[in-house]
Amino acid sequence: MPKYMTKQRKALLSFLSAHADEELSARQIAQTLSGEGISISAVYRNLSALEQEGKIRRVSKNGSREVFYQYTDCTACKNCLHLSCEKCGRTYHMNMPDADRLVAALAQNDEFAIDKSATVLYGVCKECKKQ
């Protein structure tokens, strides 16, 4: 059940939805929203509630003790596999036909059903491979 829409929650949701292709730490979010009078504790409280509501997902990255959050409640993220670059941190949607083939192959060959909305594949994007 969604919580009351406070000014802080509205600013946080607006920021997260505008950065849906990014995995952000609570510290990064709080720093960005500090000019709007949103404290780090308010960011953590709201992130916890949004995670329980299924609007964001929490991500841990190898080599980091920090937790990152990504907004997943937008229409574009529904039923979509995500690809996340381990170098630059960018997250984007996998090509739908390729994702559908991968999910179908896993379902048929391994009898394993993928939850596309919660699945992220990690690797290196083409821009980072060029560097």
Side-chain angles (χ1 to χ4, degrees):
M1 168 189 248
K3 291 177 84 172
Y4 177 73
M5 186 62 72
T6 64
K7 178 183 168 192
Q8 293 175 333
R9 184 177 172 87
K10 190 173 187 175
L12 179 61
L13 279 170
S14 176
F15 174 76
L16 290 171
S17 65
H19 296 89
D21 63 340
E22 298 177 52
E23 294 172 348
L24 302 162
S25 70
R27 188 173 26 91
Q28 290 171 309
I29 296 166
Q31 286 174 345
T32 303
L33 297 177
S34 65
E36 297 186 42
I38 301 174
S39 68
I40 187 82
S41 61
V43 168
Y44 276 112
R45 259 192 324 276
N46 281 289
L47 288 173
S48 177
L50 291 170
E51 184 181 10
Q52 289 176 354
E53 293 168 22
K55 294 183 182 298
I56 63 171
R57 68 180 177 82
R58 181 200 296 227
V59 180
S60 297
K61 294 184 179 183
N62 285 339
S64 175
R65 293 174 35 199
E66 199 161 21
V67 175
F68 297 84
Y69 300 88
Q70 183 178 12
Y71 185 72
T72 58
D73 199 37
C74 60
T75 304
C77 284
K78 300 290 184 199
N79 278 327
C80 197
L81 287 176
H82 292 89
L83 302 173
S84 184
C85 180
E86 294 175 315
K87 286 191 177 185
C88 69
R90 181 170 175 252
T91 299
Y92 52 98
H93 298 128
M94 185 175 181
N95 175 291
M96 285 303 285
D98 292 340
D100 290 342
R101 281 193 294 277
L102 175 62
V103 169
L106 286 169
Q108 182 179 6
N109 298 337
D110 296 315
E111 297 181 16
F112 191 83
I114 297 283
D115 176 1
K116 290 196 281 186
S117 67
T119 301
V120 179
L121 302 173
Y122 292 91
V124 179
C125 72
K126 68 180 179 181
E127 294 303 316
C128 289
K129 281 202 287 192
K130 292 178 188 177
Q131 298 173 359

